[in-house]
Amino acid sequence: MVDIDLIVNTLRAHGHQVEDMHPVPPDAGDYGMTIDGEVVNLEGARRILELDGPERTQARG
């Protein structure tokens, strides 16, 4: 089970703009969302968070 609210809130805490979050067919990645103007699935959201690292969160204060 995926806690989509946790993912969206974490992305926003890292300074990303998250819009248009919607479920999609299971074979397409379970969820789609627009992050900083780019449409991604859950795997894409995970990669964005991994690339952010702790520096981005600290920079937001």
Side-chain angles (χ1 to χ4, degrees):
M1 190 74 167
V2 174
D3 188 343
I4 196 67
D5 291 330
L6 176 63
I7 293 170
V8 170
N9 290 336
T10 303
L11 285 161
R12 288 179 176 153
H14 282 229
H16 296 284
Q17 183 177 2
V18 181
E19 306 173 296
D20 194 30
M21 198 283 299
H22 56 277
V24 295
D27 61 345
D30 297 330
Y31 286 89
M33 63 189 81
T34 304
I35 302 173
D36 301 332
E38 182 179 342
V39 178
V40 298
N41 62 12
L42 289 175
E43 180 65 24
R46 182 183 67 82
R47 280 193 300 253
I48 289 170
L49 288 173
E50 287 176 346
L51 292 172
D52 282 350
E55 307 83 35
R56 185 162 180 135
T57 303
Q58 291 172 357
R60 291 199 35 93

Coordinates of all heavy atoms in Angstrom, one line a residue:
M1 N 0.8 -1.2 0.0 CA 0.0 0.0 0.0 C 0.9 1.2 0.0 O 1.9 1.3 0.7 CB -0.9 0.0 1.2 CG -1.9 1.0 1.3 SD -3.2 0.4 0.1 CE -4.5 1.5 0.5
V2 N 0.5 2.2 -0.8 CA 1.3 3.4 -0.9 C 0.6 4.6 -0.2 O -0.6 4.8 -0.4 CB 1.5 3.8 -2.4 CG1 2.1 5.1 -2.6 CG2 2.2 2.7 -3.2
D3 N 1.4 5.3 0.6 CA 0.8 6.5 1.3 C 1.1 7.7 0.4 O 2.1 8.4 0.5 CB 1.5 6.6 2.7 CG 0.9 7.7 3.5 OD1 0.1 8.6 2.9 OD2 1.1 7.8 4.7
I4 N 0.2 7.9 -0.5 CA 0.3 9.0 -1.5 C 0.4 10.3 -0.9 O 1.1 11.2 -1.3 CB -0.7 8.8 -2.6 CG1 -0.3 9.7 -3.8 CG2 -2.1 9.3 -2.1 CD1 0.9 9.2 -4.6
D5 N -0.4 10.5 0.2 CA -0.3 11.8 0.9 C 1.1 12.1 1.5 O 1.5 13.2 1.4 CB -1.4 11.8 2.1 CG -2.8 11.9 1.5 OD1 -3.0 12.4 0.4 OD2 -3.7 11.3 2.2
L6 N 1.7 11.1 2.0 CA 3.1 11.2 2.5 C 4.0 11.7 1.4 O 4.8 12.6 1.6 CB 3.6 10.0 3.2 CG 5.0 10.0 3.7 CD1 5.2 11.0 4.8 CD2 5.4 8.6 4.2
I7 N 3.9 11.0 0.3 CA 4.8 11.3 -0.9 C 4.6 12.8 -1.3 O 5.5 13.6 -1.5 CB 4.6 10.4 -2.0 CG1 5.1 9.0 -1.6 CG2 5.3 10.8 -3.3 CD1 4.7 7.9 -2.6
V8 N 3.3 13.2 -1.5 CA 3.0 14.5 -1.9 C 3.4 15.5 -0.9 O 4.1 16.6 -1.3 CB 1.5 14.6 -2.2 CG1 1.1 16.1 -2.4 CG2 1.1 13.8 -3.4
N9 N 3.2 15.3 0.4 CA 3.6 16.2 1.4 C 5.1 16.4 1.5 O 5.6 17.5 1.7 CB 3.0 15.8 2.8 CG 1.5 16.1 2.8 OD1 1.0 16.9 2.1 ND2 0.9 15.3 3.7
T10 N 5.8 15.3 1.3 CA 7.3 15.3 1.3 C 7.8 16.1 0.1 O 8.8 16.9 0.3 CB 7.9 13.9 1.4 OG1 7.4 13.2 2.5 CG2 9.4 13.9 1.4
L11 N 7.3 15.8 -1.0 CA 7.7 16.6 -2.2 C 7.5 18.1 -2.0 O 8.3 18.9 -2.3 CB 6.9 16.1 -3.5 CG 7.3 14.8 -4.0 CD1 6.2 14.2 -4.9 CD2 8.6 15.0 -4.8
R12 N 6.3 18.5 -1.5 CA 6.0 19.9 -1.2 C 7.0 20.4 -0.1 O 7.4 21.6 -0.3 CB 4.6 20.0 -0.8 CG 3.6 19.8 -2.0 CD 2.2 20.0 -1.6 NE 1.4 19.9 -2.8 CZ 0.1 19.5 -2.8 NH1 -0.5 19.1 -1.7 NH2 -0.6 19.4 -3.9
A13 N 7.3 19.6 0.9 CA 8.3 20.1 1.9 C 9.6 20.3 1.3 O 10.4 21.2 1.8 CB 8.3 19.1 3.0
H14 N 9.9 19.6 0.2 CA 11.2 19.8 -0.5 C 11.2 21.0 -1.5 O 12.1 21.2 -2.2 CB 11.6 18.5 -1.2 CG 12.2 17.5 -0.3 ND1 13.3 16.8 -0.5 CD2 11.7 17.0 0.9 CE1 13.6 15.9 0.4 NE2 12.6 16.0 1.3
G15 N 10.0 21.6 -1.5 CA 9.9 22.8 -2.4 C 9.4 22.6 -3.8 O 9.4 23.5 -4.6
H16 N 8.9 21.4 -4.0 CA 8.3 21.1 -5.3 C 6.9 21.5 -5.4 O 6.1 21.4 -4.4 CB 8.4 19.6 -5.6 CG 9.8 19.1 -5.7 ND1 10.6 19.3 -6.8 CD2 10.6 18.4 -4.8 CE1 11.8 18.8 -6.6 NE2 11.9 18.2 -5.4
Q17 N 6.4 21.8 -6.6 CA 5.0 22.1 -6.8 C 4.4 20.9 -7.3 O 4.8 20.3 -8.4 CB 4.9 23.3 -7.8 CG 3.5 23.7 -8.1 CD 3.3 24.8 -9.0 OE1 4.3 25.3 -9.5 NE2 2.1 25.3 -9.3
V18 N 3.4 20.3 -6.6 CA 2.8 19.1 -7.0 C 1.3 19.4 -7.3 O 0.6 20.0 -6.5 CB 2.8 18.0 -5.8 CG1 2.1 16.8 -6.2 CG2 4.2 17.8 -5.4
E19 N 0.9 19.0 -8.5 CA -0.5 19.3 -9.0 C -1.0 18.0 -9.7 O -0.3 17.1 -10.0 CB -0.4 20.4 -10.0 CG 0.2 21.7 -9.5 CD 0.4 22.7 -10.7 OE1 1.1 22.3 -11.6 OE2 -0.3 23.7 -10.6
D20 N -2.3 18.1 -9.9 CA -2.9 17.1 -10.8 C -2.6 15.6 -10.4 O -2.3 14.8 -11.3 CB -2.5 17.4 -12.2 CG -3.4 16.7 -13.2 OD1 -4.6 16.4 -12.9 OD2 -2.9 16.3 -14.3
M21 N -2.7 15.3 -9.1 CA -2.4 13.9 -8.7 C -3.7 13.1 -9.0 O -4.7 13.5 -8.6 CB -2.0 13.9 -7.2 CG -1.3 12.7 -6.7 SD -2.4 11.3 -6.5 CE -3.5 11.8 -5.3
H22 N -3.5 12.0 -9.7 CA -4.7 11.2 -10.0 C -4.3 9.7 -10.1 O -3.1 9.4 -10.5 CB -5.3 11.6 -11.3 CG -4.3 11.7 -12.4 ND1 -3.5 12.7 -12.6 CD2 -4.1 10.8 -13.4 CE1 -2.7 12.5 -13.7 NE2 -3.1 11.3 -14.2
P23 N -5.2 8.8 -9.8 CA -4.9 7.4 -10.0 C -4.9 7.0 -11.5 O -5.7 7.6 -12.2 CB -6.0 6.6 -9.2 CG -7.1 7.7 -9.0 CD -6.4 9.0 -9.1
V24 N -4.1 6.1 -11.9 CA -4.1 5.6 -13.2 C -4.1 4.1 -13.2 O -3.9 3.5 -12.1 CB -2.8 6.1 -14.0 CG1 -2.8 7.6 -14.2 CG2 -1.5 5.7 -13.3
P25 N -4.3 3.4 -14.3 CA -4.3 2.0 -14.3 C -3.1 1.3 -13.7 O -2.0 1.9 -13.8 CB -4.4 1.6 -15.8 CG -5.0 2.8 -16.5 CD -4.5 4.0 -15.7
P26 N -3.2 0.2 -13.0 CA -2.1 -0.4 -12.3 C -0.9 -0.6 -13.1 O 0.2 -0.5 -12.7 CB -2.7 -1.7 -11.8 CG -4.1 -1.5 -11.7 CD -4.5 -0.5 -12.8
D27 N -1.1 -1.0 -14.4 CA 0.1 -1.2 -15.2 C 0.8 0.0 -15.7 O 1.8 0.0 -16.4 CB -0.3 -2.1 -16.5 CG -1.3 -1.4 -17.3 OD1 -2.0 -0.4 -16.9 OD2 -1.5 -1.8 -18.5
A28 N 0.3 1.2 -15.3 CA 0.9 2.5 -15.7 C 1.7 3.1 -14.5 O 2.1 4.3 -14.6 CB -0.1 3.4 -16.2
G29 N 1.8 2.5 -13.4 CA 2.5 3.0 -12.2 C 1.7 3.5 -11.1 O 2.2 4.1 -10.2
D30 N 0.4 3.1 -11.0 CA -0.5 3.3 -9.9 C -1.0 4.8 -9.8 O -2.2 5.0 -9.6 CB 0.1 2.9 -8.6 CG 0.3 1.4 -8.6 OD1 -0.4 0.7 -9.3 OD2 1.2 1.0 -7.9
Y31 N -0.1 5.8 -9.8 CA -0.5 7.1 -9.7 C 0.3 8.0 -10.7 O 1.4 7.7 -11.0 CB -0.3 7.7 -8.3 CG -1.2 7.2 -7.2 CD1 -1.0 6.0 -6.6 CD2 -2.4 7.9 -7.0 CE1 -1.8 5.5 -5.6 CE2 -3.3 7.4 -6.0 CZ -3.0 6.2 -5.3 OH -3.9 5.7 -4.4
G32 N -0.3 9.1 -11.1 CA 0.4 10.0 -11.9 C 0.2 11.4 -11.2 O -0.8 11.6 -10.6
M33 N 1.2 12.2 -11.4 CA 1.1 13.6 -10.8 C 2.0 14.5 -11.6 O 2.9 14.0 -12.3 CB 1.5 13.5 -9.3 CG 2.9 13.1 -9.0 SD 3.2 12.9 -7.3 CE 2.5 11.2 -7.0
T34 N 1.8 15.8 -11.5 CA 2.6 16.7 -12.1 C 3.5 17.4 -11.0 O 3.0 18.0 -10.1 CB 1.8 17.8 -12.8 OG1 0.9 17.2 -13.7 CG2 2.6 18.8 -13.6
I35 N 4.8 17.2 -11.2 CA 5.8 17.8 -10.2 C 6.6 18.8 -11.0 O 7.3 18.4 -11.9 CB 6.6 16.7 -9.6 CG1 5.7 15.7 -8.9 CG2 7.6 17.3 -8.6 CD1 6.5 14.5 -8.4
D36 N 6.6 20.0 -10.6 CA 7.4 21.1 -11.2 C 7.1 21.1 -12.7 O 8.0 21.3 -13.5 CB 8.8 20.9 -10.9 CG 9.1 21.0 -9.4 OD1 8.4 21.6 -8.7 OD2 10.1 20.4 -9.0
G37 N 5.9 20.9 -13.1 CA 5.5 20.9 -14.5 C 5.8 19.7 -15.3 O 5.5 19.6 -16.5
E38 N 6.3 18.6 -14.7 CA 6.6 17.3 -15.4 C 5.7 16.2 -14.9 O 5.5 16.0 -13.7 CB 8.0 16.9 -15.2 CG 8.4 15.7 -15.9 CD 9.9 15.3 -15.7 OE1 10.7 16.2 -15.2 OE2 10.2 14.2 -15.9
V39 N 5.0 15.5 -15.8 CA 4.1 14.4 -15.4 C 5.0 13.2 -15.1 O 5.8 12.8 -15.9 CB 3.1 14.1 -16.5 CG1 2.3 12.9 -16.1 CG2 2.3 15.3 -16.8
V40 N 4.8 12.6 -13.9 CA 5.6 11.5 -13.4 C 4.7 10.5 -12.8 O 3.6 10.8 -12.3 CB 6.7 11.9 -12.5 CG1 7.7 12.8 -13.1 CG2 6.2 12.5 -11.2
N41 N 5.1 9.2 -12.6 CA 4.4 8.2 -11.8 C 5.1 8.1 -10.5 O 6.0 8.9 -10.2 CB 4.4 6.9 -12.6 CG 5.8 6.3 -12.9 OD1 6.8 6.8 -12.3 ND2 5.8 5.3 -13.7
L42 N 4.8 7.1 -9.7 CA 5.4 7.0 -8.4 C 6.9 6.8 -8.4 O 7.6 7.3 -7.6 CB 4.7 5.8 -7.6 CG 3.3 6.1 -7.1 CD1 2.7 4.8 -6.5 CD2 3.3 7.3 -6.2
E43 N 7.4 6.0 -9.4 CA 8.8 5.8 -9.5 C 9.5 7.1 -9.8 O 10.6 7.4 -9.3 CB 9.1 4.8 -10.7 CG 10.5 4.5 -10.9 CD 11.2 3.8 -9.7 OE1 10.5 3.2 -8.9 OE2 12.4 3.9 -9.6
G44 N 8.9 8.0 -10.7 CA 9.5 9.3 -10.9 C 9.5 10.2 -9.7 O 10.5 10.9 -9.5
A45 N 8.5 10.1 -8.9 CA 8.4 10.9 -7.7 C 9.5 10.4 -6.7 O 10.2 11.2 -6.1 CB 7.0 10.8 -7.0
R46 N 9.7 9.1 -6.6 CA 10.7 8.6 -5.8 C 12.1 9.1 -6.2 O 13.0 9.5 -5.4 CB 10.7 7.0 -5.8 CG 11.7 6.4 -4.8 CD 11.7 4.9 -4.9 NE 12.1 4.4 -6.2 CZ 13.4 4.3 -6.6 NH1 14.4 4.6 -5.7 NH2 13.7 3.8 -7.8
R47 N 12.4 9.0 -7.5 CA 13.7 9.5 -8.0 C 13.9 11.0 -7.7 O 15.0 11.4 -7.4 CB 13.8 9.3 -9.5 CG 14.1 7.9 -9.9 CD 14.5 7.7 -11.3 NE 13.4 8.1 -12.2 CZ 12.6 7.3 -12.9 NH1 12.9 6.1 -12.9 NH2 11.7 7.8 -13.6
I48 N 12.9 11.8 -7.8 CA 13.0 13.2 -7.5 C 13.4 13.4 -6.0 O 14.3 14.1 -5.7 CB 11.7 14.0 -7.8 CG1 11.5 14.1 -9.3 CG2 11.7 15.4 -7.2 CD1 10.2 14.6 -9.8
L49 N 12.7 12.6 -5.1 CA 13.1 12.7 -3.7 C 14.5 12.2 -3.4 O 15.2 12.8 -2.6 CB 12.0 12.0 -2.9 CG 10.7 12.6 -2.8 CD1 9.7 11.7 -2.1 CD2 10.7 14.0 -2.1
E50 N 14.9 11.2 -4.1 CA 16.2 10.7 -3.9 C 17.3 11.7 -4.4 O 18.3 11.8 -3.7 CB 16.4 9.4 -4.6 CG 15.7 8.2 -4.0 CD 15.9 6.9 -4.8 OE1 16.3 7.0 -6.0 OE2 15.5 5.9 -4.3
L51 N 17.0 12.4 -5.5 CA 18.0 13.4 -6.0 C 18.0 14.6 -5.1 O 19.0 15.3 -5.0 CB 17.6 13.8 -7.4 CG 17.8 12.7 -8.4 CD1 17.2 13.1 -9.8 CD2 19.3 12.3 -8.6
D52 N 16.9 14.9 -4.4 CA 16.9 16.1 -3.5 C 17.9 16.0 -2.4 O 18.6 16.9 -2.1 CB 15.5 16.3 -2.9 CG 14.5 16.9 -3.9 OD1 14.9 17.4 -4.9 OD2 13.3 16.9 -3.5
G53 N 17.9 14.8 -1.7 CA 18.8 14.6 -0.6 C 18.5 15.6 0.5 O 17.5 16.4 0.4
P54 N 19.2 15.6 1.6 CA 18.9 16.4 2.7 C 19.2 17.9 2.5 O 18.7 18.8 3.1 CB 19.8 15.9 3.8 CG 20.9 15.1 3.1 CD 20.3 14.6 1.8
E55 N 20.1 18.2 1.5 CA 20.4 19.6 1.2 C 19.2 20.4 0.9 O 19.1 21.6 1.3 CB 21.5 19.7 0.1 CG 22.7 18.8 0.3 CD 22.5 17.4 -0.2 OE1 21.7 17.2 -1.2 OE2 23.1 16.5 0.5
R56 N 18.3 19.9 0.1 CA 17.2 20.7 -0.4 C 16.2 21.0 0.8 O 15.7 22.1 0.9 CB 16.4 20.0 -1.5 CG 15.3 20.8 -2.1 CD 14.9 20.3 -3.4 NE 13.8 21.1 -3.9 CZ 13.7 21.6 -5.1 NH1 14.6 21.3 -6.0 NH2 12.7 22.4 -5.5
T57 N 16.0 20.1 1.6 CA 15.1 20.3 2.8 C 15.8 21.3 3.7 O 15.1 22.2 4.2 CB 14.9 19.0 3.6 OG1 14.3 18.0 2.7 CG2 13.9 19.2 4.7
Q58 N 17.0 21.3 4.0 CA 17.7 22.2 4.8 C 17.7 23.6 4.2 O 17.6 24.6 4.9 CB 19.2 21.8 5.1 CG 19.2 20.5 5.9 CD 20.7 20.0 6.0 OE1 21.6 20.5 5.4 NE2 20.8 18.9 6.8
A59 N 17.8 23.7 2.9 CA 17.8 25.0 2.2 C 16.5 25.7 2.4 O 16.5 26.9 2.4 CB 18.2 24.8 0.7
R60 N 15.4 25.0 2.6 CA 14.1 25.6 2.7 C 13.9 26.1 4.1 O 13.0 26.9 4.4 CB 13.0 24.6 2.4 CG 13.0 24.3 0.9 CD 11.7 23.7 0.4 NE 10.5 24.1 1.0 CZ 9.7 25.1 0.6 NH1 10.1 25.8 -0.4 NH2 8.6 25.5 1.2
G61 N 14.8 25.6 5.1 CA 14.7 26.1 6.5 C 13.6 25.5 7.2 O 13.0 25.6 8.0

